[in-house]
Amino acid sequence: AQSVTQPDARVTVSEGASLQLRCKYSYSGTPYLFWYVQYPRQGLQLLLKYYSGDPVVQGVNGFEAEFSKSNSSFHLRKASVHWSDSAVYFCVLSDSGGSNAKLTFGKGTKLSVKS
Amino acid sequence: EAGVTQSPRYAVLQEGQAVSFWCDPISGHDTLYWYQQPRDQGPQLLVYFRDEAVIDNSQLPSDRFSAVRPKGTNSTLKIQSAKQGDTATYLCASSWTNNYAEQFFGPGTRLTVL
C-alpha cells in the first residue's frame, strides 16, 4: 500500500519569507511525485512533478521541490512568498506513469501568507 | 486548449434527493476520473474510465453512486438519495496516453446535503 503524509495541516509565513512544506511518502517502488495547489473555489493546479533524474525540480511561480529517496521525502520550497501564494498545497504520489496509474493524495497543507 | 469543465459549480439538496454532476474532459484525453474531496481533506478516487469502459469503480461509496461515460468523452456522476455524509466537492480529472500519471483537474462541484 502507498501513502502520503503532510505533517503540517496549516502553515503561516510573512510575505517575503522563505517557505518549506513537508511531504513524506511510503511506497516500495519508484514513485512519481507531484505537488498540486488549490486556490479557493478552484480546481487543483499542477505546480511541479518529479519522475527521475535531478532530485531538485523547478515548478511554476518560483516553487521547487527536492526528492530524497533515503528520507522518502519530497519537500516543497520557495525562496520568497507572496500573498497570492495563500492556498492549499497537496503532495501527491503515483505508483506509475502507465495505464493503471493512480494518485494518492496527502491531506494538504493550508498556507496563509501575512502581509 | 480548453481545460476540464464541470457543472454545476454548486448544488444544495435535502437528504433523499438525487443529483447529477457533469464533466467534459480535455479533448483527446482518453482517461477520466471522478474524485470526492471532503472538506479539509485530499481528493479520494471514486471511479475512472478509459474511453467508455469503467476501469475501476471499487471505491464508489455505495450503490447510491453511479457514473457513466457512454461515448468516451463527457461523463456523468449521479447520486441517488443523497445523505449528509455525501457533502463534499466532487472533482473530475482527465489524462492521456503519453502520461497517465499527470492528471488535469476541473474546478469541481461543491455539494451540500442538508
Side-chain angles (χ1 to χ4, degrees):
Chain A
Q2 58 202 57
S3 65
V4 175
T5 302
Q6 293 180 247
D8 305 309
R10 295 175 181 269
V11 170
T12 300
V13 298
S14 297
E15 194 168 23
S18 63
L19 170 71
Q20 176 171 278
L21 300 182
R22 296 182 292 163
C23 172
K24 299 272 284 185
Y25 68 90
S26 174
Y27 180 58
S28 57
T30 301
Y32 290 65
L33 292 161
F34 306 83
W35 277 96
Y36 281 85
V37 61
Q38 189 172 37
Y39 298 102
R41 293 172 296 282
Q42 295 188 30
L44 292 154
Q45 300 173 28
L46 181 66
L47 273 181
L48 48 78
K49 57 191 176 187
Y50 173 79
Y51 295 159
S52 64
D54 188 337
V56 178
V57 291
Q58 305 297 321
V60 299
N61 297 332
F63 285 94
E64 67 175 29
E66 183 166 7
F67 169 70
S68 171
K69 186 174 182 179
S70 61
N71 294 325
S72 297
S73 66
F74 189 56
H75 301 328
L76 181 71
R77 303 189 296 239
K78 188 171 184 178
S80 176
V81 298
H82 186 263
W83 65 266
S84 60
D85 293 325
S86 296
V88 180
Y89 292 78
F90 291 95
C91 182
V92 183
L93 165 71
S94 176
D95 54 4
S96 80
S99 60
N100 293 323
K102 291 184 184 178
L103 301 185
T104 299
F105 285 77
K107 290 188 175 181
T109 297
K110 184 173 184 178
L111 173 66
S112 298
V113 179
K114 300 184 301 184
S115 57
Chain B
E1 178 184 90
V4 177
T5 57
Q6 292 185 246
S7 65
R9 292 296 309 275
Y10 303 92
V12 180
L13 309 173
Q14 299 289 333
E15 273 200 324
Q17 289 185 303
V19 63
S20 292
F21 310 128
W22 179 84
C23 173
D24 188 5
I26 292 172
S27 178
H29 281 197
D30 60 351
T31 305
L32 184 147
Y33 310 81
W34 284 102
Y35 289 85
Q36 181 189 60
Q37 184 180 16
R39 184 179 176 86
D40 295 330
Q41 294 188 35
Q44 297 155 11
L45 181 67
L46 294 174
V47 58
Y48 77 102
F49 299 84
R50 181 137 309 118
D51 299 318
E52 68 278 4
V54 174
I55 303 301
D56 186 351
N57 62 359
S58 62
Q59 301 304 309
L60 283 174
S62 73
D63 56 8
R64 295 185 298 105
F65 285 69
S66 63
V68 295
R69 193 186 184 199
K71 297 183 180 179
T73 52
N74 303 335
S75 177
T76 302
L77 175 69
K78 184 173 184 178
I79 306 176
Q80 304 263 21
S81 189
K83 298 184 177 182
Q84 288 187 353
D86 299 332
T87 294
T89 297
Y90 291 83
L91 296 168
C92 179
S94 67
S95 66
W96 67 308
T97 308
N98 276 13
N99 185 1
Y100 287 118
E102 186 171 340
Q103 297 180 15
F104 297 81
F105 286 81
T109 297
R110 181 179 290 185
L111 173 66
T112 302
V113 183
L114 303 174

